[in-house]
Structures are given as structure tokens and as C-alpha cells.
Amino acid sequence: MVKENFFYSRLLDAPLALTFYDLILQPGYTEVEPREVSLRTKVTINFEINLPFVSSPMDTVTGADMAIALARLGGVGILHRNCSLEEQVAMARRVKRAESFIIRDVVTISPDMKVADAIEIMSEHDIHGLPVVDSANYLLGIVTWRDVRYSDPDNLVRDVMTGKDKLIYSDESITLEEAKRLMNKYRIEKLPIVDKEGKLLGLITFKDLELRGKFPNASRDPDGRLLVGAAVSPYDLNRAVALDRYVDILVVDVAHFHNKNVLNATRKLVRSVSADVVVGNVGTKEAVFDAINIVEEVAGFRVGIGSGSICKTGVVTRVAAPTLFAVANVADALIELGEHGNIPIIADGGIKNSGDIALALAAGASAVMMGNLFAGTRESPGRLMALEGKYYKEYYGMGSNKARMRRMSLDRYSIPSKDVEEGVEGWVPYRGTVKDVVSELKAGLEAAMGYVGAASIKDLWSKAKFARVSPAGMGEIKPHNIFMIKG
Ligand code: IMP
């Protein structure tokens, strides 16, 4: 028998989906100055980073330049997948080669190749030195830009290289300090690393040693290379396995993760790769329980549905889990499972400023993912446009017609509603470099944590006290009654 007022009571009993605009954080007793705040956080089960910022896997947000810039500052970029497998792998390799202590993925040359080939390989990879190896990978020498620059292009590499007898090389046990000392002493830019038999294992470059000092907060893998993630479809096992060689994090990138086929496909994917697999997007407790039951090894949740600045899902379908509401629910589900703080939440969509970041973290997230704010930077792949003396960068949703026209994005937003556009296309103001944007967001977040009295993100979870604001109140806590010249 149907309950009386079954439908009407459903309306009355509906929970309130609070969003960024509804809430503020209350000031609390503090012993923490903003500059003392630690923003170190877990971004996946196995990776900690110094800055809780992640860039969205969108083709107007994260390519290799964004991922490199953000990782150097302490965050992490998730490479978009709106391209061929080869292009995505090439982006991942570029990030991994940007800096490292020992480069493992070394570009080498054979002694029988010509100087012209060496020049071509150097230009193609933008490098100035190539270890020379035989077919069994034994190190025979090194050829540098200086050796080939004025040489006859038809000469053989073996005739212009520095041979092994005069070469400075080392084994794998060398420390950073020893490598620096050795390279300074012999004034060399490259130090090949070999195993006991003399086979090439890797290469240390002076440039990398210098960069390491320049970016002390950078997010790095155990080999000292920049940390990077990549988005994949749960159904594209081939791509996940290919990327797994290079990336640390794979993000299963679907608009609605709580779907039987997606869950089952992800279960298989997780078992085929060694990277940490973040799943999403989710917005409910049930999605968390099912994900953990079915997928089992979930390294993080990407949380929020419908809040993205380019998102039309909420308009087209009236289905949404606004980011703050979603984060708090997912955090509670993880608390029930005893996993909150262990399996991180990445709050995704709708972040407009540092205040929103503070709210998302306070609601239980470990990191935030941003598309709009990063799309406006120099390092994003989107086009730059000047309009009436101001600069803008292109930004569009991955479910917009523009993105969907590229075949690769189709599966994210077209199953099951194949013919519906769920994203919009537009332009965002140019905001300078990633460094500029990150500095501003970081300073705002540290100030917020100072007001709350939280020395760390964990501390924020327990100390944050929210208050609901009336629309009038929200108007009042913004600049008002002033004619603004800028901003
Ligand atoms: P933003 O930072 O508010 O612009 O939100 C970015 C987030 O929006 C991304 O990380 C995705 O989760 C989401 N998103 C990207 N493209 C679309 C789309 O076309 N429709 C809906 N959501 C999208």
C-alpha cells in the first residue's frame, strides 16, 4: 500500500543542498599566523603534496605546461584525455622529463648513427646531450651539442663523441650532493649512471640539480620527477596501461561514477595498473559505499556534480550534487568506513576564489580541483584573445559541443544521454601565470585558516565552524557602496 502523501512528503523531507554561496566560516580563537599554516595534504592514498590544488583534466586547462608549473609549486595537474593516446602519453613524458634526479627514460643514440641524426634527435627532444650505447645498452660514450654543432653532418657519432675512457659516470648509489660536487669538479652537464656491468641505467643533468633547489615545494615521485596524473575513460584499458608507465595518478574521468558498468570497468582497470586510481565524479554516500565495495582499491574520490562553472548538467537534467554538499556527504561516508583522511576527497567544481577553497577543505576535502581559475593562466592550453584592451582565454566544458566534437571526450558526457550538451563554451579573464594565481589563492587560504585557528587541513576539519548566511548577509560581506576602479 502506498504511504499517504508519499510524493508530497518527499518534497517536504528533501535535504538542503548547501553550496558555497550559503555558508561562511566563523572566526575562532587562534594561535596560528597565516604564514605558519601547513597546507600539506594527501592527494591520493600514496601521495602527499605541499599545496592542496589540482587542475582539471580539460583540454583548455591541463596540458604538460600546466602540469609542470603546478607540480613545481606543490600541487598536481591531471592531463586531459581529449586527444589521442599517443598525444596524452607524450604530455605525460614531457612532465616526467621536465626535471628529475636520475632520468630513467633516457634518450640515447647508437655510435653508428650520423651527426645529422644526433642533431635531429636533440632538437626533437629539446636536449643537449645523448649517451651513446650499443645494441645491448652498454654505455660507450656521450655526445653533446658542443660535439655536433660544428661537425660535418655526415660524420659518425663514434668519431665525435667523448668515449668511455674519458667519460665521468657513476653508479646508482650516488647522492644529490655527490653528483653536484662531481659535476662541478669536472665541469660537466651530464652524468650517466650505469650498473655493475656498465649498462646505462639513467642520466643526471646539471639543469635538474639546479631546478631542484629552485622549487623546494614541488610535488615529486620517489625518483625526484614531477608528480603528474592523467584522466582516462574506465573503458579504455589500453590507454590506462600505456599511461601507467609514466603517471603516478590515474583519474577515472566520468560525469557520473555511480553506474554499474563504470564501477565494474573500473574494478578491472584498477587491477591492471600500478598508479593510484582516483574515481569520480561522485556526490553521495551510496556512491562511496558502492565504489569501495566493488572497485575495492580506491585511491581517492573526485567529488561534486553539476557545480562546474561551464556545467549545464544541472540545467539540462536538474540532477546535481553541488560541491560542498557532495563533499560533506562523501566525507561522512568515509568517516562511517573509518577511511576519512586516509582516502582523500578532491572537491571539484565551482571554486571561484580562496574563500571557496577554505570552505571545501573545511567540509572534509583534502584538496580542490579547479578548472576555471587555471584556464585563465598563461600555461593553460586554451587560446588567448584580446577584446577591447583586455585579454581572455578560451574555456569550455568537456561536455560542450566543442569538446564533444573531438571524439575522445564522447564517453564522459554522452552515455546515456548521447544527444545532450552538458557544458558551455566561453572565455575567462587572463590571470597571468599559474604562479600568480597560486600565490593569491594560497595567501587567501592561509589567511582563512589563520582566522579559524587551524594550523593544518586536518586541524581545519575539526575546528571549522560554519554559519549559514542570508542572501542579504552574503551581499554585505562583499565590497559594497563603493565605485570600484579595479577588480
Ligand atoms: P570549474 O573550476 O568551476 O570550472 O569546474 C571544473 C570542473 O567542471 C571539472 O573539473 C569537471 O568536473 C567539471 N566539468 C568539466 N566539463 C564539464 C561539462 O561539460 N559539464 C559539466 N561539468 C564539467
Side-chain angles (χ1 to χ4, degrees):
M1 199 182 78
V2 179
K3 212 175 93 193
E4 205 182 337
N5 289 334
F6 172 76
F7 285 106
Y8 184 57
S9 59
R10 276 184 157 189
L11 265 59
L12 289 184
D13 296 343
L16 186 62
L18 295 164
T19 81
F20 293 113
Y21 280 121
D22 293 316
L23 293 157
I24 49 162
L25 289 168
Q26 297 187 46
Y29 168 72
T30 190
E31 294 178 1
V32 189
E33 296 302 330
R35 64 174 181 284
E36 295 164 358
V37 162
S38 162
L39 295 179
R40 195 167 168 78
T41 193
K42 252 182 149 178
V43 69
T44 65
I45 280 208
N46 291 305
F47 291 107
E48 281 199 18
I49 54 178
N50 287 315
L51 190 72
F53 300 168
V54 183
S55 63
S56 297
M58 300 171 72
D59 60 1
T60 47
V61 179
T62 313
D65 287 343
M66 174 66 62
I68 291 170
L70 192 54
R72 281 183 171 157
L73 296 167
V76 65
I78 310 298
L79 299 167
H80 76 86
R81 64 182 177 94
N82 209 19
C83 57
S84 68
L85 184 162
E86 292 72 25
E87 284 165 323
Q88 203 181 8
V89 165
M91 291 193 277
R93 289 186 69 176
R94 243 194 81 208
V95 181
K96 283 298 179 193
R97 302 178 63 86
E99 52 187 273
S100 50
F101 175 41
I102 300 178
I103 303 169
R104 304 279 170 180
D105 181 21
V106 187
V107 182
T108 58
I109 192 164
S110 123
D112 303 321
M113 286 175 90
K114 291 190 174 157
V115 162
D117 301 319
I119 293 177
E120 199 183 314
I121 296 174
M122 287 182 193
S123 327
E124 186 190 330
H125 295 275
D126 193 22
I127 49 182
H128 287 121
L130 300 170
V132 183
V133 293
D134 66 12
S135 54
N137 209 32
Y138 281 96
L139 180 67
L140 304 175
I142 195 161
V143 62
T144 67
W145 182 241
R146 254 183 296 172
D147 302 326
V148 296
R149 191 169 38 176
Y150 299 117
S151 169
D152 181 339
D154 284 330
N155 279 345
L156 292 181
V157 166
R158 68 165 75 249
D159 298 326
V160 297
M161 72 182 189
T162 305
K164 203 170 174 199
D165 48 332
K166 293 201 193 109
L167 198 63
I168 310 294
Y169 53 91
S170 168
D171 65 30
E172 227 180 340
S173 64
I174 191 162
T175 65
L176 200 103
E177 289 314 312
E178 283 165 356
K180 256 190 196 160
R181 216 170 337 146
L182 208 61
M183 293 173 95
N184 271 324
K185 182 171 167 196
Y186 293 100
R187 295 166 184 273
I188 49 170
E189 301 272 327
K190 318 258 177 213
L191 183 67
I193 302 296
V194 293
D195 67 9
K196 276 196 214 99
E197 296 172 23
K199 281 190 182 173
L200 184 73
L201 284 178
L203 186 72
I204 297 178
T205 76
F206 197 71
K207 194 182 105 219
D208 283 336
L209 298 186
E210 276 181 334
L211 284 172
R212 237 179 132 81
K214 222 168 131 190
F215 301 107
N217 275 332
S219 312
R220 297 181 191 282
D221 67 16
D223 282 330
R225 299 172 305 174
L226 295 173
L227 207 67
V228 67
V232 285
S233 154
Y235 304 116
D236 197 346
L237 208 55
N238 203 10
R239 188 180 287 231
V241 169
L243 284 163
D244 190 41
R245 275 191 62 199
Y246 303 101
V247 303
D248 310 285
I249 302 165
L250 286 168
V251 175
V252 170
D253 178 41
V254 288
H256 184 41
F257 186 77
H258 199 190
N259 165 310
K260 184 179 165 191
N261 292 331
V262 170
L263 285 159
N264 288 333
T266 306
R267 180 187 164 87
K268 196 165 160 212
L269 186 148
V270 162
R271 280 159 181 69
S272 315
V273 298
S274 60
D276 271 8
V277 179
V278 171
V279 305
N281 284 34
V282 296
T284 62
K285 282 184 162 187
E286 294 71 28
V288 172
F289 298 140
D290 284 345
I292 289 182
N293 266 336
I294 295 167
V295 178
E296 286 174 8
E297 291 160 47
V298 173
F301 283 101
R302 184 177 169 199
V303 179
I305 292 174
S307 288
S309 61
I310 31 51
C311 180
K312 253 172 59 176
T313 306
V315 178
V316 175
T317 66
R318 263 293 180 268
V319 175
T323 301
L324 215 51
F325 172 73
V327 165
N329 276 303
V330 168
D332 281 339
L334 290 173
I335 284 181
E336 279 180 41
L337 296 170
E339 294 285 3
H340 186 242
N342 181 38
I343 304 181
I345 293 173
I346 303 173
D348 175 27
I351 306 265
K352 301 169 294 304
N353 51 44
S354 48
D356 289 345
I357 298 176
L359 284 171
L361 296 174
S366 290
V368 294
M369 179 176 273
M370 297 174 279
N372 187 310
L373 289 177
F374 287 135
T377 61
R378 188 170 76 193
E379 290 87 343
S380 75
R383 283 182 297 155
L384 183 71
M385 172 182 76
L387 187 69
E388 295 177 356
K390 285 196 175 149
Y391 286 101
Y392 298 87
K393 283 204 86 165
E394 187 178 29
Y395 183 44
Y396 51 79
M398 298 311 291
S400 66
N401 281 341
K402 179 141 193 178
R404 293 194 319 148
M405 261 160 31
R406 298 200 193 180
R407 184 178 55 83
M408 316 300 167
S409 87
L410 277 179
D411 48 357
R412 181 171 162 95
Y413 291 98
S414 63
I415 297 171
S417 47
K418 252 196 179 76
D419 299 324
V420 176
E421 185 184 34
E422 288 189 37
V424 297
E425 302 165 27
W427 299 85
V428 292
Y430 179 67
R431 298 176 198 275
T433 62
V434 171
K435 192 169 172 216
D436 297 333
V437 170
V438 161
S439 307
E440 197 181 317
L441 295 175
K442 182 168 177 264
L445 175 59
E446 286 167 348
M449 290 170 69
Y451 274 112
V452 171
S456 66
I457 292 171
K458 238 185 189 157
D459 218 13
L460 184 64
W461 292 338
S462 58
K463 292 204 174 129
K465 286 198 188 115
F466 290 92
R468 307 240 303 258
V469 208
S470 67
M474 201 40 103
E476 192 173 288
I477 60 168
K478 290 200 270 231
H480 53 86
N481 291 57
I482 178 164
F483 174 72
M484 292 215 285
I485 296 167
K486 192 175 165 265

